Amino acid sequence: MADDRPAREPARRPGGRTARVRRGILEAAAELIARDGIGGLRYDQVAELAGVNKTSVYRNWPDRTTLIADALATFGTDAAPVYDSGDVDADLVGFLEALAAATASPQGRALLNVVTSARENPELRAVVDEVFDRRLATLRDRLQTAVERGELPATDLSLLGAMLAGPVQLFVSRGARTFTRADARKVSAIVLAGLRTTAACDGAPVVGRRAT
Amino acid sequence: MADDRPAREPARRPGGRTARVRRGILEAAAELIARDGIGGLRYDQVAELAGVNKTSVYRNWPDRTTLIADALATFGTDAAPVYDSGDVDADLVGFLEALAAATASPQGRALLNVVTSARENPELRAVVDEVFDRRLATLRDRLQTAVERGELPATDLSLLGAMLAGPVQLFVSRGARTFTRADARKVSAIVLAGLRTTAACDGAPVVGRRAT
């Protein structure tokens, strides 16, 4: 108790004890949001799950909405990275696999929870928008590079991004079975082949199978 | 009050007054779930929005979970029908357009709300599963028919269904812009062309763009 100095700003050494405690609190908060939604988030449960004093949670996040926002925002940065190996087909398979894992994680489910239940809260809505926008923007940037290098034909990159990420999110949130690397390969192969084929026939009617 | 006979089962003439009242209550409930989530659903607000007495709501649905389940279940039957005109490409465009409209509707948003927030409630989870399963099953049946007729190559139809419905759901729930008929045409054309192309090369490595 003699060592508890709430008036003093804790040191913020990256990787230090304070950083570890903060990260632990944010991970615990995300896990509880994933389980119970925003409405069910309680400071004492966060502290218990993170293995810290309730005081630590209150001192770092006096405001509840900020705690929720930070728990979701820290997650968005590197959950599903898009690499540039020079081979867009291979990079997309890696991204779709990472996206499936990220969506199935507690933080991923917390995000999906907030998307639908925090419509009325502009601050949280902004955080969710930013995480999704950043994720889709990273994907779009990689696709844009591929277009510039002639690996892909020019197209609406937002729609193309949804065609790659959408199937993963539906599969994972429906929870029928795990989205595998083979699934990632199939989705990527079909979408890219379809894009290249339809672009090659641009202006011409889509090839059908019927004689009429 | 003399006419209020709660012990007697109300008549269920299809299209009659009782049916209209019940439908109005379920639509109001779905709209409120879409706006506030399950937790915020209040009988007095349902009654007010439906323009009926609170007694009518309680008499028909003494159990709150049943009211929520019914509000979602009635929606699932015909929100996004899949037609069979004999041309799978055209039928899928129509389905994707209907799915986008259904997902953007109050009932569609209510469903998405429940998907993520009712994980712990087996009864509601079952209803949501049924609505989504039925929708994807209808789509899968249509795809199966197309495979049998030789319009499409044989493939994992659950994954193919997710590749068609997933982009629509991501687009609509992100709310960046409306999903148009042109988008429906593009998604359907790319996925089907990609499926036909990759199936034709089955076993062979995916065609790349790089010389190395």
Side-chain angles (χ1 to χ4, degrees):
Chain A
M1 276 304 211
D3 232 343
D4 216 343
R5 287 162 295 190
R8 203 170 136 188
E9 180 73 2
R12 300 276 166 84
R13 293 161 305 186
R17 192 185 169 276
T18 308
R20 272 203 313 281
V21 167
R22 285 178 58 92
R23 204 179 315 124
I25 291 171
L26 293 179
E27 280 169 9
E31 197 170 326
L32 291 170
I33 297 168
R35 203 187 67 190
D36 306 323
I38 296 173
L41 188 72
R42 280 168 43 194
Y43 272 55
D44 56 344
Q45 291 185 332
V46 173
E48 198 189 323
L49 189 60
V52 300
N53 265 317
K54 209 163 73 170
T55 330
S56 299
V57 186
Y58 277 111
R59 197 170 39 200
N60 280 287
W61 288 278
D63 180 61
R64 205 168 160 280
T65 302
T66 314
L67 171 60
I68 297 171
D70 284 357
L72 300 174
T74 51
F75 172 61
T77 36
D78 52 17
V82 191
Y83 295 108
D84 184 355
S85 73
D87 178 351
V88 70
D89 298 62
D91 291 343
L92 287 180
V93 173
F95 168 72
L96 293 182
E97 212 183 358
L99 180 64
T103 308
S105 75
Q107 285 98 330
R109 287 184 290 115
L111 266 180
L112 287 178
N113 252 344
V114 175
V115 168
T116 46
S117 63
R119 244 170 250 287
E120 311 300 316
N121 186 326
E123 192 178 341
L124 285 182
R125 182 78 211 181
V127 172
V128 173
D129 282 350
E130 204 190 313
V131 171
F132 277 97
D133 285 350
R134 204 187 302 154
R135 202 181 265 176
L136 290 175
T138 316
L139 174 59
R140 213 164 39 234
D141 286 351
R142 181 67 189 84
L143 295 170
Q144 180 63 46
T145 307
V147 169
E148 284 161 11
R149 287 179 192 152
E151 279 189 298
L152 293 178
T155 188
D156 177 341
L157 296 180
S158 296
L159 187 63
L160 182 59
M163 292 188 67
L164 291 160
V168 175
Q169 294 204 345
L170 179 59
F171 226 79
V172 173
S173 66
R174 289 295 301 123
R177 65 168 173 87
T178 307
F179 187 88
T180 65
R181 186 166 177 84
D183 294 321
R185 260 196 231 107
K186 205 159 184 175
V187 170
S188 172
I190 289 179
V191 171
L192 296 188
L195 177 66
R196 286 162 180 154
T197 307
T198 54
C201 315
D202 223 6
V206 175
V207 178
R209 279 284 185 275
R210 300 166 65 238
T212 45
Chain B
M1 277 304 212
D3 231 344
D4 215 344
R5 287 162 296 189
R8 202 170 137 189
E9 181 73 359
R12 301 277 165 85
R13 292 161 305 186
R17 192 184 169 277
T18 307
R20 272 205 313 281
V21 166
R22 285 178 59 90
R23 203 178 316 125
I25 291 171
L26 293 178
E27 281 169 8
E31 197 170 325
L32 290 171
I33 297 167
R35 203 187 66 191
D36 305 324
I38 295 174
L41 189 71
R42 280 169 44 195
Y43 273 55
D44 56 343
Q45 291 185 332
V46 173
E48 198 189 323
L49 189 59
V52 301
N53 265 317
K54 208 162 76 170
T55 330
S56 299
V57 186
Y58 277 110
R59 197 170 39 200
N60 281 286
W61 288 278
D63 179 62
R64 205 168 160 279
T65 302
T66 314
L67 171 59
I68 297 172
D70 285 357
L72 300 174
T74 51
F75 172 61
T77 37
D78 53 14
V82 190
Y83 295 107
D84 184 355
S85 72
D87 177 352
V88 70
D89 298 64
D91 291 343
L92 288 179
V93 173
F95 168 72
L96 294 182
E97 212 183 358
L99 180 63
T103 308
S105 74
Q107 285 98 331
R109 287 184 290 116
L111 266 180
L112 287 179
N113 253 345
V114 175
V115 168
T116 47
S117 64
R119 244 170 250 287
E120 310 301 315
N121 186 325
E123 191 177 342
L124 285 182
R125 182 79 211 179
V127 172
V128 173
D129 281 350
E130 205 191 313
V131 172
F132 277 98
D133 285 351
R134 203 186 303 153
R135 201 181 265 176
L136 290 175
T138 317
L139 174 58
R140 213 164 39 233
D141 287 350
R142 181 66 190 86
L143 294 171
Q144 180 63 47
T145 307
V147 169
E148 284 161 11
R149 287 180 192 152
E151 279 189 299
L152 292 178
T155 188
D156 177 340
L157 296 180
S158 295
L159 187 63
L160 182 60
M163 292 189 66
L164 292 161
V168 175
Q169 294 204 346
L170 180 59
F171 226 80
V172 173
S173 66
R174 290 293 302 121
R177 65 169 173 86
T178 306
F179 187 88
T180 65
R181 185 165 177 85
D183 294 322
R185 260 197 232 107
K186 205 159 183 175
V187 169
S188 173
I190 288 178
V191 171
L192 296 188
L195 177 65
R196 286 162 180 154
T197 308
T198 55
C201 314
D202 221 6
V206 175
V207 178
R209 278 287 186 273
R210 302 167 63 238
T212 47

